[in-house]
Amino acid sequence: MNIPNPQHPQADSLLNIAVVGHTNTGKTSLIRTMLRSTEFGVIEDGAGTTRHVEQAAISADNEAILKLYDTPGLEDSRALFAHIKKLQAKAKSLSPIQILEQFIAQVTVNDSLEQEAKVIRQVLRSDILLYIIDVREPFLEKYRLELEILTQVSKPIIPVFNFIAGHDRELAKWREHLAAFHMHATLEFDTVAFTFEAEKRLYQKMQTLVESHYDRLQKLIDYRAQLWSQLCLSGAKRIAGLIVTVACYRESKSAQNNVIAHSLVEDRLHDFVRKAEQHCLHDLLAIFNFSEKDVAIQKIPVSNGQWQLDIFAPGILKAYGLDLGSAAAKGAAAGAGIDLMVGGMSLGAASALGAIAGAGWSTFKRYGDEIKATVKGTQWQCADETTLQVLYLRQKHLLRKLMHRGHAAQDRLQVDKADSEKLPSNWTKLTSALRQNPAWQEPSTARNGNTQYLEIEAKLVEALLDEN
Ligand SMILES: Nc1nc2c(ncn2[C@@H]2O[C@H](COP(=O)(O)OP(=O)(O)OP(=O)(O)O)[C@@H](O)[C@H]2O)c(=O)[nH]1
Ligand SMILES: [Mg+2]
């Protein structure tokens, strides 16, 4: 039987990665972000949060590729260094690794270096070390000693710079110090402000350092890239769905001046829009594996719009086979046809108009009911333009934030202002087409096979994913 030697991991075994560093530098945070899970370990602003080695596996398509080991923070590197030096002085013939093995074999429970021994034990069992650095800290003696000890293990080390936002100067200093330890392959990976590119670079660095795992790491990179673009696409599609649902929504109300009935219609509309947004938020959080705790969303201010059938809107004229330049349309626009088309029009007249213009009965059916209702004085209540815009902008903002939120982030995302976001260039055209098609409010085979609908959805998705 082939018993794996923990110090010489086989190429076909999982890649074991120890996440090490001084206490409170963001080791557990890094693992959460890599796992895309807020559930792993405990994160706290204070030393000594992680007390034991904890592991998690990362897979590609159900195939486990690597194991991450979270370790307690190194707290007293001075004492550890002194202790190791003492052991070295006593046993000069032992190699640096053998000295460390001796150290962990000798440490007892409740030893003041028990915590450090857990780290060294895991370091000796791993293939790569991720050394997490809080770049805000100067390169103090304690960090130098930590590196002296860790390099003694002769394992590849990837220094990972954390807390990098706004600390360029400190980062440059750290690079200089690490170069003195022959460490040039560093990585910037802010565990709170996530980018998929940084995650990819982390795996690529591992590939260059542990060639025997190159192909499996490539599999992981490809898998994660595919998964990431699917996540982003699902998020954008979900928001496009929300915009469609709300833009297509209308409540009909009679023209009679019934205040109570009108306010009920308004309430229903407000309720509908808020519930739809809440539902979308819920789905987005689930897509990116966050929870309601991660977001604080202000109630959307809904304002009422009025949707009126505009018989002269290009879409409708076109449906009847008329174009804006035609004699009939010109006559209508000049006022001659208004009585005919709105005031005095009967269904028969409209049908005849359709027939004259060459449009079939099916075309007429699409607008027939609306024309009839308009004639009878029905109006439609809908979410107005401002509401739709606010809805789109803040959902786009939320999507961008979720795409760049590390699973270690502790603050709540605020979703109210979205001044930095832009509407799609053809926004009005898109929403006006949606308003004219209330049947698209719910998914259906007819809707999902409709080319005009699919084009609108694609345009919304493209604009939502545009990060400029
Ligand atoms: N702003 C910011 N805060 C971070 C970042 N990474 C970690 N933190 C915070 O730093 C603190 C420590 O994070 P942990 O992940 O618990 O650190 P650790 O290295 O595992 O700590 P120990 O287990 O105690 O050694 C927490 O308050 C985190 O929210 C980061 O990239 N940016
Ligand atoms: Mg920790």
Side-chain angles (χ1 to χ4, degrees), residues 390-409:
V390 172
L391 198 60
Y392 174 89
L393 293 174
R394 65 190 212 151
Q395 289 297 317
K396 173 163 185 179
H397 192 62
L398 174 65
L399 178 66
R400 186 197 291 268
K401 292 274 181 186
L402 289 178
M403 282 164 63
H404 294 290
R405 182 174 172 87
H407 285 80

Side-chain angles (χ1 to χ4, degrees), residues 12-32:
D12 60 353
S13 66
L14 295 189
L15 183 62
N16 291 306
I17 301 167
V19 181
V20 295
H22 203 73
T23 189
N24 213 30
T25 52
K27 298 178 289 302
T28 309
S29 298
L30 175 83
I31 297 183
R32 272 198 190 175

Side-chain angles (χ1 to χ4, degrees), residues 120-171:
I120 301 297
R121 189 174 293 118
Q122 189 53 52
V123 162
L124 287 167
R125 287 175 181 165
S126 301
D127 307 311
I128 300 190
L129 315 182
L130 298 185
Y131 179 65
I132 317 303
I133 298 163
D134 176 352
V135 299
R136 298 169 304 178
E137 286 273 297
F139 188 70
L140 301 169
E141 174 74 357
K142 58 184 180 184
Y143 302 125
R144 191 181 64 74
L145 296 177
E146 270 168 22
L147 280 170
E148 295 274 357
I149 300 162
L150 293 174
T151 46
Q152 202 165 317
V153 191
S154 305
K155 303 257 167 132
I157 302 182
I158 304 177
V160 179
F161 298 126
N162 198 11
F163 295 95
I164 47 181
H167 295 280
D168 293 350
R169 215 143 24 102
E170 293 86 342
L171 186 61

Side-chain angles (χ1 to χ4, degrees), residues 86-276:
K86 230 188 274 169
L87 292 179
Q88 251 159 1
K90 272 198 230 156
K92 291 215 168 68
S93 60
L94 292 185
S95 70
I97 293 182
Q98 285 170 322
I99 295 286
L100 292 176
E101 279 164 355
Q102 196 183 49
F103 159 64
I104 55 173
Q106 285 173 358
V107 163
T108 51
V109 182
N110 296 331
D111 191 306
S112 61
L113 290 174
E114 190 199 359
Q115 200 82 328
E116 279 71 14
K118 287 180 189 165
V119 184
I120 301 297
R121 189 174 293 118
Q122 189 53 52
V123 162
L124 287 167
R125 287 175 181 165
S126 301
D127 307 311
I128 300 190
L129 315 182
L130 298 185
Y131 179 65
I132 317 303
I133 298 163
D134 176 352
V135 299
R136 298 169 304 178
E137 286 273 297
F139 188 70
L140 301 169
E141 174 74 357
K142 58 184 180 184
Y143 302 125
R144 191 181 64 74
L145 296 177
E146 270 168 22
L147 280 170
E148 295 274 357
I149 300 162
L150 293 174
T151 46
Q152 202 165 317
V153 191
S154 305
K155 303 257 167 132
I157 302 182
I158 304 177
V160 179
F161 298 126
N162 198 11
F163 295 95
I164 47 181
H167 295 280
D168 293 350
R169 215 143 24 102
E170 293 86 342
L171 186 61
K173 280 256 169 275
W174 267 98
R175 279 191 203 286
E176 277 173 33
H177 290 298
L178 290 171
F181 279 86
H182 307 289
M183 289 182 193
H184 303 278
T186 53
L187 194 90
E188 294 167 30
F189 193 120
D190 201 302
T191 59
V192 170
F194 172 79
T195 67
F196 178 69
E197 274 311 303
E199 181 182 298
K200 194 165 130 191
R201 277 199 298 276
L202 176 58
Y203 292 130
Q204 286 170 336
K205 290 252 152 75
M206 293 179 192
Q207 274 183 314
T208 60
L209 292 171
V210 200
E211 284 221 42
S212 53
H213 286 78
Y214 190 96
D215 290 344
R216 292 172 83 194
L217 282 166
Q218 191 56 45
K219 190 171 175 186
L220 182 62
I221 293 171
D222 295 342
Y223 175 73
R224 300 283 279 204
Q226 193 196 358
L227 207 65
W228 181 243
S229 62
Q230 273 171 6
L231 281 189
C232 299
L233 185 63
S234 309
K237 277 197 166 172
R238 182 60 190 86
I239 299 175
L242 169 73
I243 301 302
V244 169
T245 304
V246 175
C248 290
Y249 180 85
R250 22 167 137 142
E251 291 263 358
S252 57
K253 60 173 193 183
S254 72
Q256 287 148 18
N257 201 10
N258 183 337
V259 181
I260 298 171
H262 283 187
S263 86
L264 275 178
V265 167
E266 280 179 14
D267 284 353
R268 273 209 299 273
L269 173 76
H270 291 200
D271 208 40
F272 176 82
V273 175
R274 290 191 177 126
K275 280 210 178 102

